[in-house]
Short mmCIF file of all heavy atoms in Angstrom, two decimals:
data_model
loop_
_atom_site.label_atom_id
_atom_site.label_comp_id
_atom_site.label_asym_id
_atom_site.label_seq_id
_atom_site.Cartn_x
_atom_site.Cartn_y
_atom_site.Cartn_z
N ASP A 83 111.53 133.60 81.19
CA ASP A 83 110.83 132.75 82.16
C ASP A 83 110.09 131.66 81.38
O ASP A 83 109.04 131.90 80.80
CB ASP A 83 109.85 133.57 82.99
CG ASP A 83 110.57 134.54 83.93
OD1 ASP A 83 111.74 134.27 84.27
OD2 ASP A 83 109.97 135.56 84.29
N VAL A 87 110.01 127.19 84.85
CA VAL A 87 110.39 128.22 85.83
C VAL A 87 109.14 128.89 86.41
O VAL A 87 109.03 129.10 87.62
CB VAL A 87 111.32 129.27 85.15
CG1 VAL A 87 111.49 130.50 86.02
CG2 VAL A 87 112.67 128.64 84.85
N LEU A 94 105.78 127.99 94.55
CA LEU A 94 106.37 128.67 95.70
C LEU A 94 105.41 129.75 96.22
O LEU A 94 105.10 129.83 97.41
CB LEU A 94 107.71 129.29 95.27
CG LEU A 94 108.38 130.29 96.18
CD1 LEU A 94 108.74 129.62 97.49
CD2 LEU A 94 109.65 130.84 95.53
N VAL A 118 121.46 132.58 96.77
CA VAL A 118 120.25 132.24 96.01
C VAL A 118 120.19 133.18 94.80
O VAL A 118 120.19 134.40 94.97
CB VAL A 118 118.98 132.36 96.86
CG1 VAL A 118 117.74 132.05 96.02
CG2 VAL A 118 119.05 131.44 98.07
N GLY A 119 120.15 132.61 93.59
CA GLY A 119 120.15 133.39 92.36
C GLY A 119 121.43 133.12 91.61
O GLY A 119 122.46 132.81 92.23
N GLY A 120 121.35 133.23 90.27
CA GLY A 120 122.54 132.98 89.46
C GLY A 120 122.75 134.04 88.41
O GLY A 120 123.30 133.77 87.34
N GLY A 121 122.31 135.28 88.70
CA GLY A 121 122.53 136.39 87.77
C GLY A 121 123.83 137.10 88.09
O GLY A 121 124.69 136.59 88.84
N ILE A 122 123.98 138.31 87.54
CA ILE A 122 125.23 139.07 87.73
C ILE A 122 125.46 139.34 89.22
O ILE A 122 126.59 139.20 89.73
CB ILE A 122 125.18 140.40 86.95
CG1 ILE A 122 125.07 140.13 85.44
CG2 ILE A 122 126.40 141.26 87.25
CD1 ILE A 122 124.87 141.38 84.59
N ALA A 123 124.40 139.70 89.95
CA ALA A 123 124.57 140.04 91.37
C ALA A 123 125.07 138.83 92.14
O ALA A 123 125.97 138.94 92.99
CB ALA A 123 123.25 140.54 91.95
N ALA A 124 124.52 137.65 91.86
CA ALA A 124 124.92 136.44 92.58
C ALA A 124 126.38 136.12 92.31
O ALA A 124 127.16 135.82 93.23
CB ALA A 124 124.04 135.27 92.14
N LEU A 125 126.76 136.19 91.03
CA LEU A 125 128.14 135.83 90.68
C LEU A 125 129.12 136.87 91.20
O LEU A 125 130.24 136.55 91.61
CB LEU A 125 128.23 135.64 89.17
CG LEU A 125 127.43 134.42 88.69
CD1 LEU A 125 127.08 134.53 87.22
CD2 LEU A 125 128.20 133.13 88.96
N LEU A 144 122.63 128.68 94.08
CA LEU A 144 121.42 127.96 93.64
C LEU A 144 120.70 128.83 92.62
O LEU A 144 120.31 129.97 92.91
CB LEU A 144 120.48 127.72 94.83
CG LEU A 144 121.00 126.81 95.94
CD1 LEU A 144 120.03 126.84 97.13
CD2 LEU A 144 121.17 125.38 95.43
N GLU A 145 120.50 128.31 91.44
CA GLU A 145 119.84 129.08 90.36
C GLU A 145 118.71 128.25 89.78
O GLU A 145 118.88 127.07 89.48
CB GLU A 145 120.89 129.42 89.28
CG GLU A 145 120.33 129.83 87.93
CD GLU A 145 119.45 131.08 87.95
OE1 GLU A 145 119.75 132.02 88.69
OE2 GLU A 145 118.43 131.08 87.23
N ASN A 146 117.55 128.88 89.59
CA ASN A 146 116.40 128.08 89.16
C ASN A 146 116.31 127.84 87.65
O ASN A 146 115.59 126.95 87.21
CB ASN A 146 115.08 128.70 89.68
CG ASN A 146 114.83 130.10 89.16
OD1 ASN A 146 115.74 130.75 88.67
ND2 ASN A 146 113.61 130.56 89.29
N HIS A 147 117.04 128.63 86.84
CA HIS A 147 116.99 128.42 85.39
C HIS A 147 118.00 127.34 84.96
O HIS A 147 118.94 127.05 85.69
CB HIS A 147 117.34 129.72 84.66
CG HIS A 147 116.21 130.70 84.63
ND1 HIS A 147 115.66 131.18 83.47
CD2 HIS A 147 115.52 131.29 85.62
CE1 HIS A 147 114.69 132.02 83.75
NE2 HIS A 147 114.59 132.12 85.05
N MET A 149 120.20 127.82 82.76
CA MET A 149 121.46 128.51 82.42
C MET A 149 121.68 129.64 83.42
O MET A 149 120.72 130.29 83.83
CB MET A 149 121.35 129.14 81.01
CG MET A 149 121.68 128.24 79.87
SD MET A 149 123.39 127.64 79.86
CE MET A 149 124.30 129.03 79.19
N PRO A 150 122.94 129.89 83.78
CA PRO A 150 123.20 131.04 84.63
C PRO A 150 123.10 132.35 83.85
O PRO A 150 123.07 132.32 82.63
CB PRO A 150 124.64 130.80 85.09
CG PRO A 150 125.24 129.85 84.13
CD PRO A 150 124.13 129.12 83.45
N GLY A 151 123.08 133.46 84.56
CA GLY A 151 123.08 134.77 83.87
C GLY A 151 121.90 135.64 84.21
O GLY A 151 121.93 136.85 83.98
N GLY A 152 120.81 135.05 84.69
CA GLY A 152 119.62 135.84 85.03
C GLY A 152 119.09 136.56 83.80
O GLY A 152 118.91 135.95 82.74
N GLU A 153 118.87 137.87 83.94
CA GLU A 153 118.30 138.63 82.83
C GLU A 153 119.36 138.95 81.77
O GLU A 153 119.03 139.49 80.72
CB GLU A 153 117.66 139.91 83.36
CG GLU A 153 116.34 139.60 84.05
CD GLU A 153 115.89 140.67 85.03
OE1 GLU A 153 116.60 141.65 85.24
OE2 GLU A 153 114.79 140.49 85.59
N ALA A 154 120.62 138.62 82.06
CA ALA A 154 121.70 138.88 81.09
C ALA A 154 122.04 137.58 80.36
O ALA A 154 123.12 137.00 80.53
CB ALA A 154 122.91 139.46 81.81
N LYS A 155 121.10 137.12 79.55
CA LYS A 155 121.33 135.89 78.78
C LYS A 155 121.13 136.21 77.29
O LYS A 155 120.71 137.30 76.93
CB LYS A 155 120.35 134.79 79.23
CG LYS A 155 120.63 134.32 80.66
CD LYS A 155 120.18 132.90 80.90
CE LYS A 155 118.71 132.77 81.13
NZ LYS A 155 118.29 133.04 82.50
N GLN A 170 118.52 138.53 75.45
CA GLN A 170 117.22 138.13 76.04
C GLN A 170 116.61 139.27 76.85
O GLN A 170 115.42 139.27 77.15
CB GLN A 170 117.40 136.93 76.98
CG GLN A 170 117.68 135.64 76.28
CD GLN A 170 117.45 134.43 77.17
OE1 GLN A 170 116.80 134.50 78.20
NE2 GLN A 170 117.97 133.30 76.76
N GLY A 171 117.43 140.17 77.33
CA GLY A 171 116.94 141.26 78.18
C GLY A 171 118.05 142.26 78.35
O GLY A 171 118.28 143.10 77.49
N SER A 172 118.79 142.11 79.46
CA SER A 172 119.89 143.03 79.79
C SER A 172 120.84 143.13 78.60
O SER A 172 121.37 142.12 78.13
CB SER A 172 120.61 142.47 81.01
OG SER A 172 121.61 143.35 81.43
N ASN A 173 121.09 144.31 78.11
CA ASN A 173 121.60 144.42 76.75
C ASN A 173 122.69 145.46 76.58
O ASN A 173 123.73 145.18 76.02
CB ASN A 173 120.35 144.70 75.90
CG ASN A 173 120.57 145.41 74.62
OD1 ASN A 173 121.67 145.58 74.15
ND2 ASN A 173 119.50 145.84 74.01
N ASP A 174 122.52 146.67 77.10
CA ASP A 174 123.51 147.66 76.71
C ASP A 174 124.43 148.07 77.85
O ASP A 174 124.13 147.88 79.02
CB ASP A 174 122.84 148.88 76.07
CG ASP A 174 122.12 149.76 77.07
OD1 ASP A 174 122.14 149.45 78.27
OD2 ASP A 174 121.54 150.77 76.64
N PHE A 175 125.58 148.60 77.45
CA PHE A 175 126.53 149.13 78.41
C PHE A 175 127.18 150.37 77.79
O PHE A 175 127.18 150.53 76.57
CB PHE A 175 127.59 148.07 78.79
CG PHE A 175 128.46 147.63 77.65
CD1 PHE A 175 129.70 148.22 77.45
CD2 PHE A 175 128.06 146.62 76.78
CE1 PHE A 175 130.52 147.81 76.39
CE2 PHE A 175 128.86 146.22 75.72
CZ PHE A 175 130.09 146.81 75.53
N ASP A 216 123.01 149.00 69.93
CA ASP A 216 122.30 148.33 71.03
C ASP A 216 120.83 148.31 70.63
O ASP A 216 120.50 148.58 69.47
CB ASP A 216 122.54 149.05 72.36
CG ASP A 216 121.77 150.35 72.43
OD1 ASP A 216 121.49 150.95 71.36
OD2 ASP A 216 121.42 150.77 73.55
N TYR A 218 118.42 150.13 72.42
CA TYR A 218 117.70 151.23 73.06
C TYR A 218 117.87 152.56 72.34
O TYR A 218 116.96 153.39 72.36
CB TYR A 218 118.20 151.43 74.50
CG TYR A 218 117.82 150.32 75.45
CD1 TYR A 218 118.70 149.28 75.72
CD2 TYR A 218 116.58 150.31 76.08
CE1 TYR A 218 118.36 148.27 76.59
CE2 TYR A 218 116.24 149.29 76.95
CZ TYR A 218 117.13 148.27 77.20
OH TYR A 218 116.78 147.26 78.06
N LEU A 315 108.05 150.48 79.01
CA LEU A 315 109.14 149.50 78.99
C LEU A 315 110.16 149.80 80.09
O LEU A 315 110.53 148.91 80.86
CB LEU A 315 109.85 149.53 77.62
CG LEU A 315 111.15 148.72 77.58
CD1 LEU A 315 110.85 147.22 77.69
CD2 LEU A 315 111.94 149.00 76.32
N ASN A 348 124.23 141.61 77.47
CA ASN A 348 125.17 141.65 78.60
C ASN A 348 125.61 140.28 79.09
O ASN A 348 126.21 140.17 80.17
CB ASN A 348 124.57 142.46 79.76
CG ASN A 348 124.64 143.96 79.48
OD1 ASN A 348 125.40 144.39 78.62
ND2 ASN A 348 123.83 144.74 80.18
N PHE A 351 129.07 139.45 80.82
CA PHE A 351 129.40 139.86 82.20
C PHE A 351 129.24 138.69 83.18
O PHE A 351 130.19 138.36 83.89
CB PHE A 351 128.58 141.08 82.62
CG PHE A 351 128.85 142.31 81.78
CD1 PHE A 351 127.82 143.11 81.31
CD2 PHE A 351 130.16 142.66 81.43
CE1 PHE A 351 128.07 144.23 80.53
CE2 PHE A 351 130.42 143.78 80.65
CZ PHE A 351 129.37 144.57 80.20
N ALA A 395 117.61 124.61 90.31
CA ALA A 395 117.39 124.40 91.74
C ALA A 395 116.62 125.62 92.25
O ALA A 395 117.18 126.72 92.32
CB ALA A 395 118.71 124.27 92.46
N THR A 396 115.33 125.44 92.54
CA THR A 396 114.50 126.56 92.98
C THR A 396 114.46 126.62 94.49
O THR A 396 113.92 125.71 95.15
CB THR A 396 113.06 126.40 92.44
OG1 THR A 396 113.12 126.23 91.03
CG2 THR A 396 112.19 127.60 92.78
N ALA A 397 115.03 127.69 95.05
CA ALA A 397 114.97 127.85 96.52
C ALA A 397 113.52 128.09 96.93
O ALA A 397 112.79 128.83 96.26
CB ALA A 397 115.85 129.02 96.93
N LEU A 398 113.11 127.42 98.00
CA LEU A 398 111.70 127.50 98.43
C LEU A 398 111.54 128.16 99.79
O LEU A 398 110.53 128.80 100.06
CB LEU A 398 111.13 126.07 98.57
CG LEU A 398 111.17 125.20 97.33
CD1 LEU A 398 110.71 123.79 97.67
CD2 LEU A 398 110.29 125.81 96.25
N ALA A 429 120.47 136.91 96.20
CA ALA A 429 120.76 137.72 95.01
C ALA A 429 119.54 137.68 94.09
O ALA A 429 119.66 137.59 92.86
CB ALA A 429 122.01 137.22 94.32
N THR A 430 118.38 137.72 94.69
CA THR A 430 117.10 137.66 93.98
C THR A 430 116.29 138.90 94.35
O THR A 430 116.55 139.54 95.37
CB THR A 430 116.31 136.41 94.43
OG1 THR A 430 116.53 136.22 95.83
CG2 THR A 430 116.76 135.17 93.72
N GLY A 431 115.28 139.20 93.54
CA GLY A 431 114.45 140.38 93.79
C GLY A 431 113.40 140.11 94.86
O GLY A 431 113.17 138.97 95.29
N TRP A 433 110.24 140.05 94.75
CA TRP A 433 109.10 139.18 94.44
C TRP A 433 109.38 137.74 94.85
O TRP A 433 108.45 136.99 95.13
CB TRP A 433 108.73 139.28 92.95
CG TRP A 433 109.66 138.60 91.98
CD1 TRP A 433 109.52 137.36 91.45
CD2 TRP A 433 110.86 139.14 91.42
NE1 TRP A 433 110.57 137.09 90.59
CE2 TRP A 433 111.40 138.16 90.55
CE3 TRP A 433 111.53 140.35 91.55
CZ2 TRP A 433 112.58 138.36 89.83
CZ3 TRP A 433 112.72 140.54 90.83
CH2 TRP A 433 113.22 139.55 89.99
N VAL A 434 110.66 137.38 94.93
CA VAL A 434 111.04 136.05 95.40
C VAL A 434 111.26 136.10 96.91
O VAL A 434 110.73 135.27 97.67
CB VAL A 434 112.37 135.61 94.71
CG1 VAL A 434 112.83 134.26 95.22
CG2 VAL A 434 112.21 135.59 93.21
N LEU A 438 110.30 133.70 100.32
CA LEU A 438 111.31 132.76 100.82
C LEU A 438 111.75 133.04 102.25
O LEU A 438 112.01 132.10 103.01
CB LEU A 438 112.56 132.85 99.92
CG LEU A 438 112.75 131.70 98.96
CD1 LEU A 438 111.67 131.69 97.92
CD2 LEU A 438 114.10 131.81 98.27
N ALA A 458 108.21 142.49 81.21
CA ALA A 458 108.66 142.96 79.88
C ALA A 458 108.74 141.74 78.98
O ALA A 458 108.88 140.60 79.45
CB ALA A 458 110.02 143.64 79.97
N LEU A 459 108.63 142.01 77.70
CA LEU A 459 108.73 140.94 76.70
C LEU A 459 109.77 141.34 75.66
O LEU A 459 109.69 142.44 75.11
CB LEU A 459 107.38 140.72 76.02
CG LEU A 459 107.35 139.72 74.87
CD1 LEU A 459 107.69 138.32 75.36
CD2 LEU A 459 105.97 139.71 74.21
N ILE A 460 110.73 140.49 75.47
CA ILE A 460 111.74 140.75 74.44
C ILE A 460 111.60 139.65 73.39
O ILE A 460 111.68 138.46 73.70
CB ILE A 460 113.18 140.69 75.02
CG1 ILE A 460 113.31 141.49 76.31
CG2 ILE A 460 114.21 141.09 73.96
CD1 ILE A 460 112.77 142.87 76.32
N TYR A 518 111.58 145.18 71.87
CA TYR A 518 111.58 145.34 73.32
C TYR A 518 110.26 146.00 73.70
O TYR A 518 109.94 147.07 73.19
CB TYR A 518 112.74 146.27 73.76
CG TYR A 518 114.01 145.55 74.11
CD1 TYR A 518 114.71 144.84 73.15
CD2 TYR A 518 114.51 145.60 75.41
CE1 TYR A 518 115.88 144.17 73.49
CE2 TYR A 518 115.69 144.94 75.75
CZ TYR A 518 116.36 144.23 74.79
OH TYR A 518 117.52 143.57 75.11
N TRP A 578 109.70 138.10 80.75
CA TRP A 578 110.23 138.41 82.08
C TRP A 578 109.07 138.90 82.96
O TRP A 578 108.61 140.02 82.81
CB TRP A 578 111.34 139.48 81.99
CG TRP A 578 112.51 139.02 81.17
CD1 TRP A 578 112.86 139.45 79.92
CD2 TRP A 578 113.47 138.01 81.52
NE1 TRP A 578 113.98 138.77 79.48
CE2 TRP A 578 114.38 137.89 80.45
CE3 TRP A 578 113.66 137.20 82.64
CZ2 TRP A 578 115.44 136.99 80.45
CZ3 TRP A 578 114.72 136.31 82.65
CH2 TRP A 578 115.60 136.22 81.57
N HIS A 580 108.87 139.63 86.07
CA HIS A 580 109.16 140.69 87.06
C HIS A 580 110.38 141.46 86.59
O HIS A 580 111.39 141.54 87.29
CB HIS A 580 109.40 140.08 88.44
CG HIS A 580 108.22 139.31 88.95
ND1 HIS A 580 107.96 138.01 88.58
CD2 HIS A 580 107.22 139.66 89.79
CE1 HIS A 580 106.84 137.61 89.16
NE2 HIS A 580 106.38 138.58 89.91
N ALA A 581 110.27 142.05 85.40
CA ALA A 581 111.44 142.69 84.79
C ALA A 581 111.88 143.93 85.56
O ALA A 581 113.06 144.18 85.71
CB ALA A 581 111.12 143.07 83.36
N ARG A 582 110.92 144.71 86.01
CA ARG A 582 111.25 146.01 86.61
C ARG A 582 110.62 146.18 87.98
O ARG A 582 109.44 145.87 88.16
CB ARG A 582 110.69 147.16 85.76
CG ARG A 582 110.99 147.07 84.32
CD ARG A 582 112.27 147.75 83.97
NE ARG A 582 112.49 147.56 82.54
CZ ARG A 582 113.68 147.51 81.97
NH1 ARG A 582 114.76 147.62 82.68
NH2 ARG A 582 113.79 147.33 80.69
N GLY A 613 121.36 141.24 98.11
CA GLY A 613 122.12 141.96 97.08
C GLY A 613 121.56 141.66 95.71
O GLY A 613 121.75 140.57 95.18
N HIS A 614 120.84 142.61 95.15
CA HIS A 614 120.24 142.44 93.81
C HIS A 614 120.24 143.81 93.15
O HIS A 614 120.18 144.83 93.85
CB HIS A 614 118.80 141.90 93.95
CG HIS A 614 118.14 141.58 92.64
ND1 HIS A 614 117.27 142.44 92.02
CD2 HIS A 614 118.22 140.49 91.84
CE1 HIS A 614 116.86 141.89 90.89
NE2 HIS A 614 117.42 140.71 90.75
N SER A 615 120.29 143.83 91.82
CA SER A 615 120.33 145.11 91.11
C SER A 615 119.19 146.04 91.50
O SER A 615 119.32 147.26 91.44
CB SER A 615 120.29 144.84 89.60
OG SER A 615 119.24 143.96 89.29
N GLU A 616 118.05 145.51 91.90
CA GLU A 616 116.89 146.36 92.19
C GLU A 616 117.14 147.28 93.39
O GLU A 616 116.41 148.25 93.58
CB GLU A 616 115.63 145.52 92.45
CG GLU A 616 115.66 144.79 93.78
CD GLU A 616 114.37 144.01 94.03
OE1 GLU A 616 113.59 143.84 93.10
OE2 GLU A 616 114.17 143.58 95.18
N GLN A 621 117.31 149.26 87.58
CA GLN A 621 118.30 148.17 87.54
C GLN A 621 119.21 148.28 86.32
O GLN A 621 118.76 148.60 85.24
CB GLN A 621 117.55 146.83 87.45
CG GLN A 621 116.79 146.47 88.70
CD GLN A 621 115.46 145.83 88.38
OE1 GLN A 621 114.44 146.48 88.35
NE2 GLN A 621 115.49 144.55 88.14
N HIS A 622 120.46 147.98 86.52
CA HIS A 622 121.36 147.82 85.39
C HIS A 622 122.50 146.91 85.81
O HIS A 622 122.61 146.53 86.98
CB HIS A 622 121.86 149.16 84.83
CG HIS A 622 122.52 150.03 85.85
ND1 HIS A 622 123.84 149.97 86.14
CD2 HIS A 622 122.00 150.99 86.65
CE1 HIS A 622 124.13 150.85 87.07
NE2 HIS A 622 123.03 151.48 87.41
N TRP A 623 123.35 146.57 84.85
CA TRP A 623 124.37 145.56 85.17
C TRP A 623 125.34 146.06 86.23
O TRP A 623 125.82 145.29 87.06
CB TRP A 623 125.07 145.09 83.90
CG TRP A 623 126.13 145.99 83.34
CD1 TRP A 623 125.92 147.07 82.53
CD2 TRP A 623 127.53 145.89 83.54
NE1 TRP A 623 127.13 147.64 82.21
CE2 TRP A 623 128.14 146.94 82.82
CE3 TRP A 623 128.35 145.02 84.25
CZ2 TRP A 623 129.51 147.15 82.79
CZ3 TRP A 623 129.72 145.21 84.22
CH2 TRP A 623 130.29 146.27 83.51
N GLY A 624 125.60 147.38 86.23
CA GLY A 624 126.50 147.95 87.24
C GLY A 624 125.89 147.85 88.64
O GLY A 624 126.60 147.57 89.61
N SER A 625 124.58 148.05 88.73
CA SER A 625 123.97 147.97 90.07
C SER A 625 123.91 146.51 90.52
O SER A 625 123.95 146.22 91.72
CB SER A 625 122.59 148.63 90.10
OG SER A 625 121.66 147.95 89.32
N ALA A 626 123.84 145.58 89.58
CA ALA A 626 123.89 144.16 89.95
C ALA A 626 125.27 143.84 90.53
O ALA A 626 125.40 143.20 91.58
CB ALA A 626 123.59 143.28 88.74
N LEU A 627 126.32 144.32 89.84
CA LEU A 627 127.69 144.11 90.35
C LEU A 627 127.83 144.70 91.75
O LEU A 627 128.33 144.05 92.67
CB LEU A 627 128.69 144.88 89.48
CG LEU A 627 129.24 144.32 88.21
CD1 LEU A 627 130.31 145.26 87.67
CD2 LEU A 627 129.80 142.93 88.42
C1 FAD B 1 114.02 143.29 79.67
C2 FAD B 1 115.20 143.81 80.42
C3 FAD B 1 116.12 144.63 79.79
C4 FAD B 1 117.23 145.10 80.49
N1 FAD B 1 118.14 145.88 79.82
C5 FAD B 1 119.27 146.25 80.45
C6 FAD B 1 120.32 146.92 79.76
O1 FAD B 1 120.21 147.14 78.55
N2 FAD B 1 121.44 147.28 80.42
C7 FAD B 1 121.60 147.00 81.74
O2 FAD B 1 122.66 147.32 82.30
N3 FAD B 1 120.62 146.38 82.43
C8 FAD B 1 119.47 146.00 81.82
N4 FAD B 1 118.51 145.32 82.51
C9 FAD B 1 118.62 145.21 83.97
C10 FAD B 1 119.09 143.86 84.47
O3 FAD B 1 118.16 143.56 85.43
C11 FAD B 1 120.52 143.94 85.02
O4 FAD B 1 121.40 144.38 84.03
C12 FAD B 1 121.08 142.62 85.54
O5 FAD B 1 121.14 141.63 84.53
C13 FAD B 1 120.32 142.09 86.75
O6 FAD B 1 121.11 141.15 87.42
P1 FAD B 1 120.72 140.60 88.86
O7 FAD B 1 121.67 139.53 89.19
O8 FAD B 1 120.59 141.72 89.82
O9 FAD B 1 119.26 140.01 88.73
P2 FAD B 1 118.67 138.82 87.87
O10 FAD B 1 119.28 138.80 86.55
O11 FAD B 1 117.19 139.00 88.04
O12 FAD B 1 119.13 137.52 88.65
C14 FAD B 1 118.38 136.89 89.64
C15 FAD B 1 118.50 135.40 89.45
O13 FAD B 1 117.82 134.72 90.49
C16 FAD B 1 117.18 133.58 89.95
N5 FAD B 1 116.10 133.16 90.85
C17 FAD B 1 114.89 133.73 91.02
N6 FAD B 1 114.17 133.03 91.93
C18 FAD B 1 114.94 132.01 92.35
C19 FAD B 1 114.74 130.95 93.28
N7 FAD B 1 113.60 130.83 93.99
N8 FAD B 1 115.73 130.06 93.43
C20 FAD B 1 116.91 130.17 92.74
N9 FAD B 1 117.14 131.17 91.85
C21 FAD B 1 116.17 132.08 91.66
C22 FAD B 1 116.71 134.10 88.60
O14 FAD B 1 116.44 133.07 87.71
C23 FAD B 1 117.89 134.93 88.16
O15 FAD B 1 118.81 134.14 87.45
C24 FAD B 1 117.40 144.79 81.84
C25 FAD B 1 116.46 143.96 82.49
C26 FAD B 1 115.39 143.46 81.78
C27 FAD B 1 114.42 142.55 82.47
#
Side-chain angles (χ1 to χ4, degrees):
D83 291 335
V87 167
L94 167 63
V118 178
I122 297 174
L125 293 158
L144 296 172
E145 162 60 38
N146 61 343
H147 283 239
M149 275 297 281
E153 286 159 357
K155 293 207 281 278
Q170 288 197 17
S172 184
N173 155 12
D174 73 1
F175 64 95
D216 74 333
Y218 291 96
L315 170 69
N348 284 342
F351 298 135
T396 305
L398 302 174
T430 38
W433 74 96
V434 178
L438 255 67
L459 175 64
I460 312 312
Y518 268 64
W578 298 108
H580 300 82
R582 311 270 178 209
H614 185 262
S615 50
E616 72 177 14
Q621 291 141 264
H622 55 88
W623 79 277
S625 66
L627 276 186

